[in-house]
Amino acid sequence: MRVKSDSRSWARAFADLKNGFQQRELWSHLGWQDIKQRYRRSVLGPLWITISMGITALGLGLLYSQLFGSEIAAFLPYITTGFIVWHFILGCLTEGADTFISNEGLIKHLPAPLSVYVLRTVWRQMIMFGHNMVIYVLVISVFWSEISRPGYVITEGGIPQPGLNWSALLAIPGFALIAINAGWVVLLFGVVSTRFRDIPQVISSLINLLFFMTPIVWSTDILQKRFGDTVSWRNLIAELNPMYHFIQVVRAPMIGNQQSWHHWAVVGGFAIVGWALALVVLRNYRARVSYWV
């Protein structure tokens, strides 16, 4: 008589998540060690994260502000915050797909919940996000008078913005919402990638396309200025791109831009649907990950 296995149960799936959160010292320590290991023997250490982001944002900000006829004082904060949020999303996508593959040794020898490795990856990306926020503080300090002025525009002829004020605090729950999405992204793509090793390559191939199609180095004002208010596929390029909404829930309050609750609705909807899919995958395949890696 064959005994039915209880490895595929919702109780075990939720217990994995619960036990993972309870082992905070483990995944937080591993996340810090990842950063230290990456910059071992480096004089500046993790400061290279900040320096790299600052150089990229400054270089592209100077270039694209001239191409789009924008004032550097308004465009550089826009592109800097976009890069900071994009870097977090990018890290969760690319490194999230390799989460369990890169932790093969620990998974096979350390009896820990799978969620520990998910939290390790997300925590590591949050640390890097914190380092990059130094650039944001510097840019805001330099251009405060411009972006705190009501009615400033990102590009010439663009929509007047309300200016930076206390609504900037909405960036905190906005980032929390993105981090919640990061959890299911790492879990779902991490498990699927252990079975289908082409997934990380597919993600890497699509990243550049997603970057240029997302309003990071360009503004949606450009589309409206070029094509007007007529509804067409050109105007929907941004709205149909989920990355745009993910970036806006953090970037808009950080630089005093107009905020729309439909961005929050889209990101919240992705969190609900994404976690539902991730939990199904965790329930059905968590026991197989150690064999697939």
Side-chain angles (χ1 to χ4, degrees):
M1 180 178 178
R2 186 173 64 178
V3 180
K4 183 178 179 180
S5 173
D6 63 345
S7 61
R8 292 188 177 185
S9 67
W10 290 111
R12 286 178 175 262
F14 284 106
D16 188 290
L17 293 176
K18 179 182 177 181
N19 294 334
F21 276 104
Q22 290 177 343
Q23 298 186 29
R24 180 178 60 84
E25 292 185 0
L26 176 59
W27 53 261
S28 61
H29 174 74
L30 291 174
W32 276 109
Q33 288 301 313
D34 289 339
I35 299 295
K36 292 180 180 179
Q37 183 68 22
R38 182 175 299 185
Y39 296 97
R40 188 180 61 173
R41 299 182 184 275
S42 171
V43 176
L44 297 178
L47 284 177
W48 279 114
I49 301 174
T50 306
I51 295 173
S52 176
M53 176 60 65
I55 294 174
T56 302
L58 178 61
L60 292 182
L62 292 173
L63 173 62
Y64 282 92
S65 64
Q66 298 303 309
L67 292 177
F68 298 142
S70 306
E71 292 291 336
I72 188 64
F75 196 76
L76 187 56
Y78 174 86
I79 198 173
T80 299
T81 50
F83 260 111
I84 292 173
V85 181
W86 169 257
H87 192 270
F88 177 79
I89 297 174
L90 174 64
C92 292
L93 283 171
T94 55
E95 297 186 20
D98 287 325
T99 291
F100 301 122
I101 298 174
S102 60
N103 286 288
E104 176 183 356
L106 289 176
I107 291 175
K108 291 183 176 180
H109 298 93
L110 180 66
L114 289 182
S115 55
V116 165
Y117 308 106
V118 174
L119 292 168
R120 174 186 184 176
T121 301
V122 176
W123 174 241
R124 181 171 66 246
Q125 297 305 318
M126 292 177 69
I127 295 174
M128 298 178 68
F129 180 85
H131 280 86
N132 290 332
M133 283 296 292
V134 175
I135 300 299
Y136 166 75
V137 173
L138 292 175
V139 170
I140 294 300
S141 300
V142 174
F143 300 112
W144 171 264
S145 60
E146 174 64 25
I147 64 173
S148 62
R149 175 176 56 83
Y152 87 93
V153 295
I154 298 174
T155 59
E156 184 179 357
I159 299 175
Q161 305 296 336
L164 190 60
N165 50 46
W166 285 106
S167 64
L169 294 176
L170 287 174
I172 298 176
F175 179 73
L177 189 55
I178 292 181
I180 292 173
N181 276 277
W184 73 258
V185 167
V186 175
L187 177 59
L188 179 62
F189 286 104
V191 173
V192 174
S193 295
T194 59
R195 178 63 179 85
F196 303 100
R197 297 301 175 94
D198 293 327
I199 298 298
Q201 308 303 324
V202 172
I203 293 176
S204 298
S205 300
L206 294 176
I207 285 300
N208 290 334
L209 178 61
L210 285 174
F211 173 78
F212 287 108
M213 292 191 66
T214 304
I216 299 174
V217 297
W218 54 276
S219 170
T220 53
D221 289 344
I222 298 174
L223 294 179
Q224 186 174 17
K225 182 179 178 181
R226 176 65 176 82
F227 303 108
D229 295 326
T230 58
V231 178
S232 68
W233 66 269
R234 302 179 184 89
N235 302 84
L236 295 176
I237 287 178
E239 291 297 330
L240 294 181
N241 183 355
M243 294 298 179
Y244 171 58
H245 304 285
F246 277 79
I247 289 178
Q248 278 300 99
V249 294
V250 179
R251 177 173 61 185
M254 287 177 68
I255 58 175
N257 280 186
Q258 285 186 352
Q259 301 179 52
S260 175
W261 290 104
H262 84 280
H263 298 308
W264 293 77
V266 171
V267 178
F270 267 92
I272 295 173
V273 175
W275 268 109
L277 292 174
L279 287 172
V280 170
V281 170
L282 183 63
R283 171 188 179 272
N284 293 334
Y285 303 109
R286 59 176 296 278
R288 300 186 184 183
V289 172
S290 60
Y291 297 99
W292 286 342
V293 296

